[in-house]
Coordinates of all heavy atoms in Angstrom, one line a residue:
M1324 N -36.7 2.0 4.7 CA -36.0 3.0 5.5 C -35.4 2.3 6.7 O -34.3 2.3 6.9 CB -37.1 4.0 5.9 CG -36.5 5.2 6.6 SD -37.8 6.4 6.9 CE -36.9 7.8 7.4
F1325 N -36.2 1.7 7.7 CA -35.7 1.1 8.9 C -35.7 -0.5 8.7 O -35.2 -1.1 9.6 CB -36.6 1.3 10.1 CG -36.6 2.8 10.5 CD1 -37.8 3.5 10.4 CD2 -35.4 3.4 10.8 CE1 -37.7 4.9 10.7 CE2 -35.4 4.7 11.2 CZ -36.5 5.5 11.2
C1326 N -36.2 -1.1 7.6 CA -36.3 -2.5 7.5 C -34.9 -3.2 7.4 O -34.9 -4.4 7.6 CB -37.1 -2.9 6.3 SG -36.5 -2.2 4.7
S1327 N -33.9 -2.5 7.3 CA -32.5 -3.1 7.2 C -32.0 -3.3 8.7 O -30.9 -4.0 8.8 CB -31.5 -2.2 6.6 OG -31.3 -1.0 7.1
H1328 N -32.6 -2.8 9.8 CA -32.1 -3.1 11.1 C -32.1 -4.6 11.4 O -33.1 -5.3 11.1 CB -33.0 -2.4 12.1 CG -32.4 -2.3 13.5 ND1 -32.6 -3.4 14.3 CD2 -31.7 -1.5 14.1 CE1 -31.9 -3.1 15.5 NE2 -31.4 -2.0 15.4
P1329 N -31.1 -5.2 11.9 CA -31.0 -6.6 12.0 C -32.2 -7.3 12.9 O -32.5 -8.5 12.6 CB -29.6 -6.9 12.7 CG -29.2 -5.5 13.2 CD -29.9 -4.5 12.4
H1330 N -32.7 -6.7 13.8 CA -33.6 -7.3 14.7 C -35.1 -6.9 14.3 O -36.0 -7.6 14.8 CB -33.4 -7.0 16.1 CG -32.1 -7.4 16.7 ND1 -31.8 -8.7 16.8 CD2 -31.0 -6.7 17.1 CE1 -30.4 -8.8 17.2 NE2 -30.0 -7.6 17.3
L1331 N -35.2 -6.0 13.4 CA -36.6 -5.4 13.2 C -37.5 -6.5 12.4 O -38.6 -6.7 12.8 CB -36.5 -4.2 12.3 CG -37.8 -3.4 12.2 CD1 -38.4 -3.1 13.6 CD2 -37.6 -2.1 11.4
A1332 N -36.9 -7.3 11.5 CA -37.7 -8.3 10.8 C -38.2 -9.3 11.7 O -39.4 -9.7 11.7 CB -36.9 -8.9 9.7
E1333 N -37.4 -9.7 12.6 CA -37.8 -10.7 13.7 C -38.9 -10.1 14.6 O -39.9 -10.8 14.9 CB -36.6 -11.1 14.6 CG -36.9 -12.0 15.7 CD -35.6 -12.3 16.6 OE1 -34.5 -12.2 16.0 OE2 -35.8 -12.4 17.8
I1334 N -38.8 -8.9 15.0 CA -39.8 -8.3 15.9 C -41.1 -8.1 15.1 O -42.2 -8.4 15.6 CB -39.3 -6.9 16.3 CG1 -38.2 -7.1 17.3 CG2 -40.4 -6.1 17.0 CD1 -37.4 -5.9 17.7
V1335 N -41.0 -7.6 13.8 CA -42.2 -7.4 13.0 C -43.1 -8.7 12.8 O -44.3 -8.7 12.7 CB -41.9 -6.6 11.7 CG1 -43.0 -6.7 10.7 CG2 -41.4 -5.3 12.0
A1336 N -42.3 -9.8 12.6 CA -42.9 -11.1 12.4 C -43.6 -11.7 13.5 O -44.4 -12.6 13.4 CB -41.9 -12.0 11.8
D1337 N -43.2 -11.2 14.7 CA -43.7 -11.8 16.0 C -45.2 -11.4 16.1 O -45.6 -10.2 15.9 CB -43.0 -11.2 17.1 CG -43.3 -11.8 18.5 OD1 -44.4 -12.2 18.6 OD2 -42.4 -11.9 19.3
K1338 N -46.0 -12.4 16.3 CA -47.5 -12.2 16.5 C -47.9 -11.3 17.7 O -49.0 -10.9 17.8 CB -48.2 -13.5 16.6 CG -48.0 -14.3 17.9 CD -48.7 -15.5 18.0 CE -48.4 -16.2 19.4 NZ -49.5 -17.1 19.8
N1339 N -46.9 -11.1 18.7 CA -47.1 -10.3 19.8 C -46.6 -8.9 19.5 O -46.3 -8.2 20.5 CB -46.5 -10.9 21.0 CG -47.2 -12.1 21.3 OD1 -48.3 -12.4 21.0 ND2 -46.5 -13.0 22.1
T1340 N -46.5 -8.5 18.3 CA -45.9 -7.1 18.0 C -47.1 -6.2 17.5 O -48.0 -6.6 16.6 CB -44.9 -7.1 16.9 OG1 -43.8 -7.9 17.4 CG2 -44.5 -5.7 16.5
Y1341 N -47.2 -5.0 18.1 CA -48.3 -4.1 17.7 C -47.6 -2.7 17.4 O -46.6 -2.4 18.0 CB -49.2 -3.9 18.9 CG -49.9 -5.3 19.3 CD1 -49.3 -6.1 20.2 CD2 -51.1 -5.6 18.7 CE1 -49.9 -7.3 20.6 CE2 -51.7 -6.8 18.9 CZ -51.1 -7.6 19.9 OH -51.7 -8.8 20.2
L1342 N -48.3 -2.0 16.6 CA -47.9 -0.6 16.3 C -48.9 0.4 16.9 O -50.0 0.4 16.7 CB -47.9 -0.5 14.7 CG -47.5 0.9 14.2 CD1 -46.1 1.4 14.5 CD2 -47.8 1.0 12.7
L1343 N -48.3 1.3 17.7 CA -49.1 2.3 18.3 C -49.4 3.4 17.3 O -48.4 4.1 16.9 CB -48.5 2.9 19.6 CG -49.2 4.0 20.3 CD1 -50.5 3.5 20.8 CD2 -48.4 4.6 21.4
Y1344 N -50.6 3.4 16.7 CA -50.8 4.3 15.5 C -52.3 4.5 15.4 O -53.1 3.5 15.3 CB -50.2 3.7 14.3 CG -50.3 4.7 13.1 CD1 -49.2 5.7 13.0 CD2 -51.2 4.6 12.1 CE1 -49.2 6.5 12.0 CE2 -51.3 5.5 11.0 CZ -50.3 6.5 11.0 OH -50.2 7.4 9.9
P1345 N -52.8 5.7 15.5 CA -54.2 5.9 15.4 C -54.7 5.8 14.0 O -54.3 6.5 13.1 CB -54.4 7.4 15.9 CG -53.1 8.0 15.4 CD -52.1 6.9 15.7
D1346 N -55.5 4.8 13.8 CA -56.0 4.4 12.5 C -57.5 3.9 12.6 O -57.9 3.5 13.7 CB -55.1 3.5 11.8 CG -55.2 3.5 10.2 OD1 -55.9 4.5 9.6 OD2 -54.7 2.7 9.6
D1347 N -58.2 3.9 11.5 CA -59.6 3.4 11.6 C -59.6 1.9 12.0 O -60.6 1.5 12.7 CB -60.3 3.5 10.2 CG -60.5 4.9 9.8 OD1 -60.6 5.7 10.7 OD2 -60.7 5.3 8.7
D1348 N -58.7 1.2 11.7 CA -58.6 -0.3 12.1 C -57.9 -0.6 13.3 O -57.6 -1.8 13.7 CB -58.2 -1.1 10.9 CG -56.7 -0.9 10.5 OD1 -56.2 0.1 10.8 OD2 -56.1 -1.8 9.8
A1349 N -57.4 0.5 14.0 CA -56.7 0.3 15.3 C -57.6 -0.2 16.4 O -58.7 0.3 16.5 CB -55.9 1.6 15.7
V1350 N -57.2 -1.1 17.2 CA -58.0 -1.5 18.3 C -57.5 -0.8 19.6 O -56.3 -0.4 19.7 CB -57.9 -3.1 18.5 CG1 -58.5 -3.8 17.2 CG2 -56.5 -3.6 18.8
P1351 N -58.4 -0.7 20.6 CA -57.8 -0.1 21.9 C -56.8 -0.9 22.4 O -56.9 -2.2 22.5 CB -59.1 0.0 22.7 CG -60.2 -0.1 21.8 CD -59.8 -1.0 20.6
I1352 N -55.8 -0.4 22.9 CA -54.6 -1.1 23.5 C -55.0 -1.9 24.7 O -54.4 -3.0 24.9 CB -53.4 -0.1 23.9 CG1 -52.1 -0.9 24.1 CG2 -53.8 0.8 25.1 CD1 -50.9 0.0 24.1
E1353 N -56.1 -1.5 25.3 CA -56.6 -2.3 26.4 C -57.1 -3.7 26.0 O -57.3 -4.6 26.8 CB -57.7 -1.6 27.2 CG -57.2 -0.3 27.8 CD -57.3 0.9 26.8 OE1 -57.9 0.7 25.8 OE2 -56.8 2.0 27.2
D1354 N -57.4 -3.8 24.7 CA -58.0 -5.1 24.2 C -57.0 -6.1 23.7 O -57.3 -7.1 23.2 CB -59.0 -4.7 23.0 CG -60.2 -4.0 23.5 OD1 -60.5 -4.0 24.7 OD2 -61.0 -3.4 22.7
I1355 N -55.7 -5.8 23.8 CA -54.6 -6.6 23.5 C -54.8 -7.9 24.5 O -54.6 -7.8 25.7 CB -53.2 -6.1 23.6 CG1 -53.1 -4.9 22.6 CG2 -52.2 -7.1 23.3 CD1 -51.8 -4.2 22.8
P1356 N -55.0 -9.1 23.9 CA -55.2 -10.2 24.8 C -54.0 -10.5 25.7 O -54.2 -10.9 26.8 CB -55.4 -11.5 23.8 CG -55.8 -10.8 22.5 CD -55.2 -9.4 22.5
H1357 N -52.9 -10.3 25.2 CA -51.6 -10.7 25.9 C -51.5 -9.7 27.2 O -50.9 -10.1 28.2 CB -50.4 -10.4 25.1 CG -50.6 -11.1 23.8 ND1 -50.6 -12.4 23.5 CD2 -50.7 -10.6 22.5 CE1 -50.8 -12.7 22.3 NE2 -50.8 -11.6 21.7
L1358 N -52.1 -8.6 27.1 CA -52.0 -7.5 28.2 C -52.8 -8.2 29.5 O -52.3 -8.0 30.6 CB -52.6 -6.2 27.8 CG -52.6 -5.1 28.8 CD1 -51.2 -4.7 28.9 CD2 -53.4 -3.9 28.2
H1359 N -53.8 -8.8 29.2 CA -54.6 -9.3 30.3 C -54.1 -10.7 30.8 O -54.3 -11.1 31.9 CB -56.1 -9.5 29.9 CG -56.7 -8.2 29.4 ND1 -56.9 -7.2 30.3 CD2 -57.1 -7.8 28.2 CE1 -57.5 -6.2 29.6 NE2 -57.5 -6.5 28.4
E1360 N -53.4 -11.4 29.9 CA -52.8 -12.7 30.2 C -51.5 -12.6 31.0 O -50.9 -13.5 31.4 CB -52.7 -13.6 29.1 CG -54.0 -13.8 28.4 CD -53.8 -14.5 27.0 OE1 -52.7 -14.7 26.6 OE2 -54.8 -14.7 26.3
G1361 N -50.9 -11.4 31.0 CA -49.6 -11.1 31.7 C -48.4 -11.5 30.8 O -47.3 -11.4 31.2
A1362 N -48.7 -11.8 29.5 CA -47.6 -12.2 28.6 C -46.9 -10.8 28.1 O -47.6 -9.8 28.1 CB -48.1 -13.0 27.4
S1363 N -45.7 -11.0 27.6 CA -45.1 -9.8 27.1 C -45.5 -9.6 25.6 O -45.9 -10.5 24.9 CB -43.6 -9.8 27.3 OG -43.1 -11.0 26.5
Y1364 N -45.3 -8.4 25.1 CA -45.5 -8.0 23.7 C -44.6 -6.9 23.3 O -44.0 -6.3 24.2 CB -47.0 -7.7 23.5 CG -47.5 -6.5 24.2 CD1 -47.5 -5.2 23.7 CD2 -48.0 -6.7 25.5 CE1 -47.9 -4.2 24.4 CE2 -48.5 -5.6 26.2 CZ -48.5 -4.3 25.7 OH -48.8 -3.2 26.5
N1365 N -44.5 -6.7 22.0 CA -43.7 -5.6 21.5 C -44.6 -4.5 21.0 O -45.6 -4.8 20.3 CB -42.9 -6.1 20.2 CG -42.0 -7.3 20.6 OD1 -41.2 -7.3 21.4 ND2 -42.1 -8.4 19.8
L1366 N -44.3 -3.3 21.4 CA -45.0 -2.1 21.0 C -44.1 -1.3 20.2 O -43.2 -0.6 20.9 CB -45.7 -1.4 22.2 CG -46.6 -0.3 21.9 CD1 -47.8 -0.7 21.1 CD2 -47.0 0.4 23.2
I1367 N -44.4 -1.1 19.0 CA -43.6 -0.1 18.2 C -44.2 1.2 18.2 O -45.4 1.4 18.0 CB -43.5 -0.5 16.7 CG1 -42.7 -1.9 16.6 CG2 -42.8 0.4 15.8 CD1 -42.7 -2.6 15.2
V1368 N -43.4 2.3 18.6 CA -43.9 3.6 18.7 C -43.1 4.5 17.7 O -41.9 4.5 17.8 CB -43.7 4.2 20.1 CG1 -44.3 5.6 20.2 CG2 -44.4 3.2 21.1
L1369 N -43.7 5.2 16.8 CA -43.1 6.0 15.8 C -42.8 7.3 16.6 O -43.8 8.1 17.0 CB -44.0 6.2 14.6 CG -44.4 4.9 13.9 CD1 -45.3 5.2 12.7 CD2 -43.1 4.2 13.5
D1370 N -41.5 7.7 16.8 CA -41.2 8.9 17.5 C -41.0 10.1 16.6 O -40.3 10.0 15.7 CB -39.8 8.6 18.2 CG -39.4 9.7 19.1 OD1 -40.3 10.5 19.6 OD2 -38.2 9.8 19.5
G1371 N -41.9 11.1 16.9 CA -41.8 12.3 16.1 C -43.2 13.0 16.2 O -44.1 12.6 17.0
T1372 N -43.3 14.1 15.5 CA -44.7 14.8 15.5 C -45.6 13.8 14.6 O -45.2 12.8 14.1 CB -44.6 16.1 14.7 OG1 -44.2 15.9 13.3 CG2 -43.5 17.0 15.3
W1373 N -46.9 14.2 14.7 CA -47.9 13.3 14.1 C -47.6 13.4 12.6 O -47.7 12.3 11.9 CB -49.3 13.8 14.3 CG -49.8 13.4 15.7 CD1 -50.1 14.2 16.7 CD2 -49.9 12.0 16.2 NE1 -50.5 13.5 17.8 CE2 -50.4 12.2 17.5 CE3 -49.8 10.9 15.7 CZ2 -50.6 11.0 18.3 CZ3 -50.0 9.7 16.5 CH2 -50.4 9.9 17.8
K1374 N -47.1 14.5 12.0 CA -46.9 14.6 10.5 C -45.7 13.6 10.2 O -45.7 12.8 9.3 CB -46.6 16.0 10.2 CG -46.4 16.2 8.7 CD -46.3 17.7 8.4 CE -46.0 17.9 6.9 NZ -45.9 19.4 6.6
Q1375 N -44.7 13.6 11.2 CA -43.5 12.8 10.9 C -43.8 11.3 11.1 O -43.4 10.5 10.3 CB -42.3 13.2 11.9 CG -41.7 14.5 11.7 CD -40.9 15.0 12.8 OE1 -41.0 14.6 14.0 NE2 -39.9 15.8 12.5
A1376 N -44.7 11.0 12.0 CA -45.1 9.6 12.3 C -45.8 9.1 11.1 O -45.6 7.9 10.7 CB -45.9 9.5 13.5
R1377 N -46.7 9.8 10.5 CA -47.5 9.5 9.4 C -46.6 9.3 8.2 O -46.7 8.3 7.4 CB -48.5 10.5 8.9 CG -49.3 10.2 7.8 CD -50.6 11.1 7.7 NE -51.2 10.9 6.3 CZ -51.8 9.9 5.9 NH1 -51.9 8.8 6.6 NH2 -52.4 9.8 4.7
R1378 N -45.5 10.1 8.0 CA -44.6 9.9 6.9 C -43.8 8.6 7.1 O -43.6 8.0 6.1 CB -43.7 11.1 6.8 CG -42.8 11.2 5.6 CD -42.0 12.5 5.5 NE -42.8 13.7 5.6 CZ -42.5 14.7 6.4 NH1 -41.3 14.7 7.2 NH2 -43.2 15.7 6.5
I1379 N -43.4 8.4 8.3 CA -42.6 7.1 8.6 C -43.5 5.9 8.2 O -43.0 5.0 7.7 CB -42.2 7.0 10.0 CG1 -41.0 8.2 10.3 CG2 -41.6 5.7 10.4 CD1 -40.8 8.4 11.8
Y1380 N -44.8 6.0 8.7 CA -45.7 4.9 8.5 C -45.9 4.7 6.9 O -45.9 3.5 6.5 CB -47.0 5.2 9.2 CG -48.1 4.2 8.9 CD1 -48.1 3.0 9.6 CD2 -49.2 4.5 8.0 CE1 -49.1 2.1 9.4 CE2 -50.2 3.6 7.8 CZ -50.1 2.3 8.4 OH -51.1 1.4 8.2
C1381 N -46.1 5.8 6.3 CA -46.3 5.6 4.8 C -45.2 5.1 4.0 O -45.3 4.4 3.0 CB -46.8 7.0 4.3 SG -48.5 7.4 4.9
K1382 N -43.9 5.5 4.4 CA -42.7 5.2 3.7 C -42.2 3.7 4.0 O -41.4 3.2 3.2 CB -41.6 6.1 4.0 CG -41.8 7.5 3.3 CD -40.6 8.3 3.6 CE -40.6 9.6 2.8 NZ -39.5 10.5 3.0
N1383 N -42.8 3.1 5.1 CA -42.3 1.8 5.5 C -43.5 0.9 5.4 O -44.2 0.7 6.4 CB -41.7 1.9 6.9 CG -40.4 2.7 7.0 OD1 -39.4 2.2 6.7 ND2 -40.6 4.0 7.3
K1384 N -43.5 0.2 4.3 CA -44.8 -0.8 4.0 C -44.9 -1.8 5.0 O -45.9 -2.3 5.4 CB -44.7 -1.3 2.6 CG -44.7 -0.3 1.5 CD -46.0 0.4 1.4 CE -46.0 1.4 0.3 NZ -47.1 2.2 0.3
F1385 N -43.7 -2.3 5.7 CA -43.8 -3.4 6.6 C -44.6 -3.0 7.8 O -45.2 -3.8 8.5 CB -42.4 -3.9 7.0 CG -41.6 -2.9 7.8 CD1 -41.6 -3.0 9.1 CD2 -40.8 -1.9 7.2 CE1 -40.8 -2.1 9.9 CE2 -40.1 -1.1 7.9 CZ -40.1 -1.1 9.3
L1386 N -44.6 -1.6 8.1 CA -45.4 -1.1 9.3 C -46.8 -1.3 9.1 O -47.6 -1.5 10.0 CB -45.0 0.3 9.6 CG -43.7 0.6 10.1 CD1 -43.4 2.1 10.2 CD2 -43.4 -0.1 11.4
Q1387 N -47.3 -1.2 7.9 CA -48.7 -1.2 7.5 C -49.3 -2.6 7.7 O -50.5 -2.8 7.7 CB -48.9 -0.8 6.1 CG -48.4 0.7 6.0 CD -48.4 1.2 4.6 OE1 -49.0 0.7 3.7 NE2 -47.7 2.3 4.4
N1388 N -48.4 -3.7 7.9 CA -48.9 -5.0 8.1 C -49.0 -5.4 9.5 O -49.3 -6.6 9.7 CB -48.0 -6.1 7.3 CG -48.0 -5.8 5.9 OD1 -49.1 -5.6 5.2 ND2 -47.0 -6.0 5.2
I1389 N -48.5 -4.6 10.4 CA -48.6 -4.8 11.8 C -50.0 -4.4 12.4 O -50.5 -3.4 12.0 CB -47.5 -4.0 12.5 CG1 -46.0 -4.4 12.0 CG2 -47.5 -4.3 14.1 CD1 -45.0 -3.5 12.5
Q1390 N -50.5 -5.2 13.4 CA -51.7 -4.8 14.0 C -51.6 -3.5 14.7 O -50.6 -3.3 15.5 CB -52.2 -5.9 15.0 CG -53.4 -5.5 15.9 CD -54.6 -5.4 15.1 OE1 -55.0 -6.3 14.4 NE2 -55.3 -4.3 15.2
K1391 N -52.5 -2.5 14.4 CA -52.4 -1.3 15.0 C -53.2 -1.2 16.3 O -54.3 -1.7 16.3 CB -52.8 -0.2 13.9 CG -51.8 0.0 12.8 CD -52.2 1.0 11.9 CE -53.2 0.5 10.9 NZ -52.9 -0.6 10.1
V1392 N -52.7 -0.4 17.2 CA -53.5 -0.2 18.5 C -53.5 1.3 18.8 O -52.6 2.0 18.2 CB -52.9 -1.0 19.7 CG1 -53.0 -2.5 19.5 CG2 -51.4 -0.5 20.0
S1393 N -54.4 1.7 19.5 CA -54.4 3.2 19.9 C -54.8 3.2 21.4 O -55.4 2.2 22.0 CB -55.5 3.9 19.1 OG -56.8 3.4 19.4
E1394 N -54.3 4.3 22.0 CA -54.5 4.4 23.5 C -55.7 5.2 23.7 O -55.7 6.4 23.5 CB -53.3 5.0 24.0 CG -53.4 5.2 25.6 CD -52.2 5.8 26.2 OE1 -51.6 6.7 25.5 OE2 -51.9 5.6 27.4
H1395 N -56.7 4.5 24.3 CA -57.9 5.3 24.5 C -58.0 5.6 26.0 O -58.7 6.6 26.4 CB -59.2 4.4 24.2 CG -59.3 4.3 22.7 ND1 -59.7 5.3 21.9 CD2 -59.0 3.3 21.9 CE1 -59.6 4.9 20.6 NE2 -59.3 3.6 20.6
N1396 N -57.5 4.8 26.8 CA -57.5 5.0 28.3 C -56.0 4.9 28.8 O -55.2 4.2 28.2 CB -58.4 4.0 29.0 CG -59.8 4.1 28.6 OD1 -60.4 5.2 28.6 ND2 -60.5 3.1 28.4
K1397 N -55.8 5.4 30.0 CA -54.5 5.3 30.6 C -54.3 3.9 31.1 O -55.2 3.3 31.6 CB -54.2 6.2 31.7 CG -54.2 7.7 31.2 CD -53.8 8.6 32.3 CE -53.8 10.1 31.8 NZ -53.4 11.0 32.9
L1398 N -53.1 3.3 31.0 CA -52.7 2.0 31.4 C -52.2 2.1 32.8 O -51.3 2.9 33.1 CB -51.8 1.3 30.5 CG -52.3 0.9 29.1 CD1 -51.2 0.4 28.3 CD2 -53.4 -0.1 29.2
N1399 N -52.5 1.2 33.7 CA -52.0 1.1 35.0 C -51.1 -0.2 35.1 O -51.2 -1.0 35.9 CB -53.1 1.0 36.0 CG -53.8 2.3 36.1 OD1 -53.3 3.4 36.0 ND2 -55.2 2.2 36.4
K1400 N -50.2 -0.3 34.1 CA -49.3 -1.5 33.9 C -47.9 -1.0 34.0 O -47.6 0.2 33.6 CB -49.6 -2.2 32.7 CG -51.0 -2.7 32.5 CD -51.2 -3.9 33.5 CE -52.6 -4.4 33.3 NZ -52.9 -5.5 34.1
T1401 N -47.0 -1.8 34.4 CA -45.6 -1.5 34.4 C -45.1 -2.0 33.1 O -45.3 -3.1 32.6 CB -44.9 -2.3 35.5 OG1 -45.4 -1.9 36.8 CG2 -43.4 -2.0 35.5
C1402 N -44.4 -1.1 32.4 CA -43.8 -1.4 31.0 C -42.4 -1.2 31.1 O -41.8 -0.4 31.7 CB -44.5 -0.5 30.0 SG -46.2 -0.7 29.9
E1403 N -41.7 -2.0 30.2 CA -40.2 -1.9 30.0 C -40.1 -1.5 28.5 O -40.5 -2.3 27.7 CB -39.6 -3.3 30.4 CG -38.0 -3.2 30.1 CD -37.4 -4.6 30.4 OE1 -38.0 -5.2 31.2 OE2 -36.3 -4.8 29.8
F1404 N -39.4 -0.5 28.3 CA -39.1 0.0 27.0 C -37.7 -0.2 26.5 O -36.7 0.1 27.4 CB -39.5 1.5 26.8 CG -41.0 1.7 27.0 CD1 -41.5 2.2 28.2 CD2 -41.8 1.5 26.0 CE1 -42.8 2.4 28.4 CE2 -43.2 1.8 26.2 CZ -43.7 2.2 27.4
T1405 N -37.4 -0.6 25.4 CA -36.1 -0.7 24.8 C -36.1 0.0 23.4 O -37.0 -0.5 22.6 CB -35.6 -2.2 24.7 OG1 -35.7 -2.8 25.9 CG2 -34.2 -2.3 24.2
S1406 N -35.3 0.8 23.2 CA -35.3 1.6 22.0 C -34.2 0.9 21.0 O -33.0 0.9 21.3 CB -34.9 3.1 22.1 OG -34.7 3.6 20.8
L1407 N -34.7 0.4 19.9 CA -33.7 -0.2 18.9 C -32.8 1.0 18.3 O -31.7 0.7 17.9 CB -34.5 -0.9 17.8 CG -35.1 -2.2 18.1 CD1 -36.0 -2.6 16.9 CD2 -34.1 -3.2 18.5
F1408 N -33.4 2.1 18.2 CA -32.7 3.1 17.4 C -32.2 4.3 18.3 O -31.9 5.4 17.9 CB -33.6 3.8 16.4 CG -34.2 2.7 15.5 CD1 -35.5 2.3 15.5 CD2 -33.4 2.1 14.6 CE1 -35.9 1.3 14.7 CE2 -33.9 1.1 13.7 CZ -35.2 0.7 13.8
H1409 N -31.9 3.9 19.6 CA -31.3 4.9 20.5 C -29.9 5.1 20.1 O -29.2 4.2 19.6 CB -31.4 4.3 21.9 CG -30.9 5.3 23.0 ND1 -29.5 5.5 23.2 CD2 -31.6 6.1 23.8 CE1 -29.5 6.4 24.2 NE2 -30.7 6.8 24.5
P1410 N -29.4 6.4 20.2 CA -28.1 6.6 19.7 C -26.9 5.7 20.3 O -26.1 5.4 19.5 CB -27.8 8.0 20.1 CG -29.2 8.7 20.2 CD -30.0 7.5 20.6
D1411 N -27.1 5.2 21.4 CA -26.1 4.3 22.0 C -26.1 2.9 21.3 O -25.2 2.2 21.4 CB -26.4 4.1 23.5 CG -26.2 5.4 24.3 OD1 -25.5 6.3 23.9 OD2 -26.7 5.4 25.4
N1412 N -27.2 2.6 20.6 CA -27.4 1.3 19.9 C -26.9 1.3 18.5 O -27.0 0.3 17.8 CB -28.8 0.8 20.1 CG -29.3 0.5 21.5 OD1 -28.4 0.3 22.4 ND2 -30.6 0.5 21.7
L1413 N -26.7 2.5 18.0 CA -26.4 2.6 16.6 C -24.9 2.4 16.1 O -24.6 2.3 15.0 CB -26.8 4.0 16.1 CG -28.3 4.2 16.1 CD1 -28.6 5.6 15.6 CD2 -29.0 3.2 15.1
G1414 N -24.0 2.3 17.2 CA -22.6 1.9 17.0 C -21.9 3.1 16.6 O -21.1 3.5 16.0

């Protein structure tokens, strides 16, 4: 579905890429080592209702290989978000 995006394969292959998705094997986002070291990381967020997010997750096998994280506590960090699929980026 989304695997044809030119930069997605590179992002998914990066060891500092995480998927925000509640699952049994998801770790708390606060436990990401890079967060405490001040390094940057990629956080993939599936935009939609929970039902839509689950459908996106299930239809895109490459997402299932990314380390999943879940948000248990609020973060007091500054984050910079860039949307790959923002309408302005689709040409």
Side-chain angles (χ1 to χ4, degrees):
M1324 187 173 193
F1325 295 116
C1326 59
S1327 63
H1328 190 279
H1330 300 292
L1331 191 55
E1333 178 183 327
I1334 293 169
V1335 169
D1337 189 325
K1338 67 177 182 155
N1339 293 338
T1340 296
Y1341 299 89
L1342 176 65
L1343 182 62
Y1344 191 80
D1346 203 7
D1347 291 339
D1348 63 341
V1350 298
I1352 197 167
E1353 298 87 7
D1354 292 346
I1355 297 174
H1357 315 291
L1358 185 66
H1359 302 291
E1360 297 168 5
S1363 63
Y1364 60 93
N1365 302 307
L1366 182 63
I1367 296 175
V1368 180
L1369 303 178
D1370 186 22
T1372 65
W1373 285 116
K1374 186 176 181 180
Q1375 292 168 331
R1377 179 168 169 69
R1378 191 174 307 133
I1379 292 168
Y1380 177 78
C1381 290
K1382 285 185 175 183
N1383 293 278
K1384 299 293 182 192
F1385 69 94
L1386 292 174
Q1387 298 169 19
N1388 295 322
I1389 301 170
Q1390 172 65 55
K1391 291 178 280 302
V1392 295
S1393 61
E1394 183 182 25
H1395 294 287
N1396 296 316
K1397 292 183 178 181
L1398 294 176
N1399 293 323
K1400 300 287 182 182
T1401 302
C1402 298
E1403 179 181 333
F1404 294 97
T1405 303
S1406 174
L1407 288 176
F1408 304 109
H1409 188 277
D1411 294 341
N1412 296 337
L1413 294 177

